[in-house]
Amino acid sequence: MNLAAATNENLAHTSNVLIYSSMAVYTLAFFAHIAEWVFGSRSKVGRTAAALTGAEGADASGSVKVQVAQKGGGTAVLDRPKIVTRAAAGTRDVPDGPGAAGGTFKGDLYGRMAVSMTVLAFLVEAGGVITRAMSVQRAPWGNMYEFSITFSTVAVGAYLILLALKKNVRWMGLLLVTTVLLDLGIATTVLYTSSDQLVPALHSYWLWIHVSTAIICGAVFYIGAAGTLMYLFRDSYENKLANGGQPGSFAQSVLSRLPAAATLDKFSYRINAAVFPLWTFTIIAGAIWAGDAWGRYWGWDPKEVWSFITWVAYACYLHARATAGWKGRKAAYLALIAFGCWLFNYYGVNIFVTGKHSYAGV
């Protein structure tokens, strides 16, 4: 074995060690997020609201009278305006929840620890992706294993960028870390492929352009889908409250701490709308690369077809959002269907369908 081959083998081994190490740190972040939600459920917010319920009354105008203790033993009566429900579906004017930490000091402490561990795991995983690229001396997304570890790295990176921009997304931490652990678990056990060079068709600078943008789009689409899913749960919770129902203990403990349904709906829409042009470019870049590699821009290959189906699904979602009758839950279902199309294009087509994109194996 020559020196270059030995060096590449060592780099591949280092990459594997870093990926497994990141999984260990992500596991610690997972338990820290669990602790954040657990201690947040003991928030004083709920107990205070329950106490105020017994001391409040409503006047003829619908305002709520709340007695507040003053210094010196006296009390003052304050007006708390009644929550107003707007006519349009999905635009109920309610405040955002207090977050996973529930406004508690201990919950917030564990939440900060979880974010810190997520940052560390992200850096370790990114190191694993980089050393994988060094071991094969090419872009580190030539097969499904490499695509998966890069995808989860970019997804976490997008989440951390949103946090750095002071966006209210820490509620997503537990769901994100859980998904990343599942993704890496599947990648290291089922999809793992030894470092190897690519077939001649993939030796092109379009590999860096086309596949990298596909990974970015998938990671951002995932964040949008997470927001959409939480929107559906939170919207059901708000609907039950608005109709005079009594949500269950899980809803009162967990869903009450999420951002308002209108906030989640707006967040998901903006995320999907922002990345949709990049997905359009991804399909165009793939067609140009196909023209260089195979002498035709479009050949109805399964990967090409499902990429286009995904594009159409997201286009329908964005159009539905602009149509008054399809806002809210109907549009949210379309968004989840669109992300399902992307997932099938990622897993289903590569594993179960044979086509020109099957040459790299899994």
Side-chain angles (χ1 to χ4, degrees):
M1 182 182 295
N2 57 38
L3 180 61
T7 300
N8 291 340
E9 184 176 341
N10 289 334
L11 286 171
H13 176 71
T14 301
S15 173
N16 294 340
V17 171
L18 289 173
I19 294 299
Y20 280 107
S21 299
S22 70
M23 293 175 66
V25 183
Y26 278 128
T27 302
L28 295 177
F30 170 81
F31 286 115
H33 274 301
I34 290 288
E36 178 187 18
W37 281 95
V38 169
F39 285 104
S41 67
R42 302 175 183 178
S43 170
K44 293 182 179 179
V45 175
R47 293 197 297 270
T48 302
L52 288 175
T53 302
E56 65 187 16
D59 62 10
S61 64
S63 297
V64 179
K65 304 293 186 179
V66 182
Q67 292 184 355
V68 180
Q70 288 184 322
K71 189 175 181 179
T75 59
V77 179
L78 302 179
D79 284 343
R80 190 176 66 190
K82 194 176 182 180
I83 293 176
V84 177
T85 302
R86 298 175 185 168
T91 57
R92 194 175 296 105
D93 190 12
V94 299
D96 291 340
T104 64
F105 172 78
K106 187 169 287 189
D108 183 66
L109 175 63
Y110 279 107
R112 292 177 183 275
M113 290 172 58
V115 171
S116 299
M117 292 174 188
T118 302
V119 172
L120 177 59
F122 164 76
L123 295 175
V124 174
E125 186 182 9
V129 173
I130 293 172
T131 52
R132 175 77 176 196
M134 295 171 62
S135 71
V136 295
Q137 300 178 1
R138 56 169 172 77
W141 40 75
N143 50 61
M144 284 192 69
Y145 168 74
E146 295 172 355
F147 192 100
S148 294
I149 62 175
T150 308
F151 167 78
S152 57
T153 304
V154 175
V156 175
Y159 165 74
L160 295 177
I161 289 174
L162 291 174
L163 281 179
L165 295 175
K166 308 297 183 182
K167 302 299 182 182
N168 180 18
V169 294
R170 206 167 87 181
W171 54 267
M172 192 188 299
L174 179 58
L175 178 61
L176 174 71
V177 170
T178 303
T179 306
V180 168
L181 284 172
L182 289 174
D183 176 73
L184 292 178
I186 294 173
T188 54
T189 57
V190 179
L191 303 177
Y192 181 77
T193 303
S194 300
S195 300
D196 199 3
Q197 293 302 312
L198 300 176
V199 296
L202 288 180
H203 284 287
S204 170
Y205 60 88
W206 284 107
L207 175 66
W208 291 90
I209 300 173
H210 171 63
V211 184
S212 65
T213 55
I215 292 172
I216 293 172
C217 288
V220 179
F221 279 148
Y222 162 79
I223 291 178
T228 301
L229 185 63
M230 292 302 103
Y231 157 74
L232 291 173
F233 284 114
R234 173 74 187 202
D235 186 60
S236 296
Y237 168 76
E238 293 180 7
N239 282 336
K240 180 168 286 189
L241 288 177
N243 294 326
Q246 182 65 30
S249 58
F250 174 81
Q252 291 178 338
S253 174
V254 176
L255 300 182
S256 61
R257 284 180 275 165
L258 293 175
T263 301
L264 291 169
D265 187 39
K266 186 184 299 183
F267 168 78
S268 302
Y269 170 69
R270 288 178 175 177
I271 288 289
N272 289 325
V275 78
F276 181 73
L278 185 61
W279 182 248
T280 304
F281 170 78
T282 300
I283 296 176
I284 295 173
I288 296 174
W289 187 11
D292 290 343
W294 303 316
R296 90 300 183 269
Y297 294 104
W298 189 267
W300 298 103
D301 183 75
K303 180 71 70 172
E304 297 170 349
V305 171
W306 276 97
S307 295
F308 180 67
I309 290 174
T310 302
W311 184 91
V312 171
Y314 274 107
C316 290
Y317 162 72
L318 296 176
H319 177 71
R321 284 280 315 194
T323 305
W326 277 82
K327 286 184 178 179
R329 299 184 69 87
K330 292 180 180 180
Y333 292 137
L334 281 177
L336 292 181
I337 291 173
F339 184 66
C341 292
W342 188 90
L343 280 179
F344 182 79
N345 189 35
Y346 173 29
Y347 284 107
V349 172
N350 284 19
I351 296 175
F352 302 113
V353 182
T354 301
K356 283 186 172 293
H357 288 77
S358 303
Y359 44 69
V362 297

